[in-house]
Amino acid sequence: NRQVTRVANSGNLQRLLQTIQYHISEMNAINLVTALHRVTKLAVSCPDSAASVEKLLKHPSFRQLSSTVVQRIEAGLSPEVAGSAPPFEVQCMSIVCWSCATLRLQEERLMSAIAGIALERLGELKPFELSNMVWAYAKLAMG
């Protein structure tokens, strides 16, 4: 997580994607969400953010990160698989929702899985986390 944060703070999106690709197999849920949050922030902060986001969404490292996040969240839905990897905290799912909406990434399967998990755990969310999730679903016109 420190490496992802350090590279993200340098502002170099390509270097951050390389760092993520190199370490993704070692990443836990918090590392994955931090990586997703940081690449999203960097992509949208570029002067030509539309082009930067489009390029990000096509980048192999981002696709790997995105699919890993989806797999880990969906694994939490299956009781037989849930014990194999620590589950995503519902707070982390709020950040995933924010990232998807900010990038306008239509991941219906992922967002549906998050909704199912979050509905059972609403009491664990702080008000700003819940509002981020509601905003994300509205932004993506889901729900």
Side-chain angles (χ1 to χ4, degrees):
N1 217 17
R2 279 189 212 140
Q3 289 175 321
V4 167
T5 304
R6 186 171 24 91
V7 174
N9 288 341
S10 77
N12 186 330
L13 181 56
Q14 291 305 312
R15 189 160 163 244
L16 178 56
L17 288 166
Q18 290 171 343
T19 302
I20 291 165
Q21 184 175 8
Y22 183 77
H23 293 286
I24 197 159
S25 64
E26 310 160 2
M27 290 183 171
N28 63 24
I30 291 178
N31 300 145
L32 291 167
V33 170
T34 299
L36 181 62
H37 180 253
R38 294 303 185 110
V39 296
T40 300
K41 281 182 68 171
L42 282 178
V44 299
S45 68
C46 292
D48 186 5
S49 65
S52 180
V53 167
E54 186 177 333
K55 190 174 179 181
L56 174 68
L57 295 177
K58 293 177 182 175
H59 196 283
S61 296
F62 178 80
R63 288 180 178 217
Q64 183 182 15
L65 173 62
S66 179
S67 74
T68 302
V69 168
V70 171
Q71 289 168 1
R72 294 284 296 278
I73 289 175
E74 287 180 339
L77 293 172
S78 305
E80 66 278 359
V81 180
S84 66
F88 263 72
E89 296 294 325
V90 72
Q91 294 83 356
C92 290
M93 292 182 203
S94 171
I95 296 168
V96 172
C97 289
W98 175 86
S99 296
C100 287
T102 300
L103 296 171
R104 297 183 191 267
L105 183 59
Q106 294 285 339
E107 286 282 352
E108 291 188 35
R109 205 173 86 210
L110 171 64
M111 298 299 281
S112 178
I114 289 173
I117 294 167
L119 282 174
E120 296 175 8
R121 298 169 62 191
L122 284 176
E124 297 174 39
L125 290 167
K126 293 178 181 147
F128 79 91
E129 294 162 339
L130 180 58
S131 66
N132 271 347
M133 291 179 95
V134 170
W135 171 82
Y137 282 91
K139 179 93 171 173
L140 294 170
M142 294 179 171

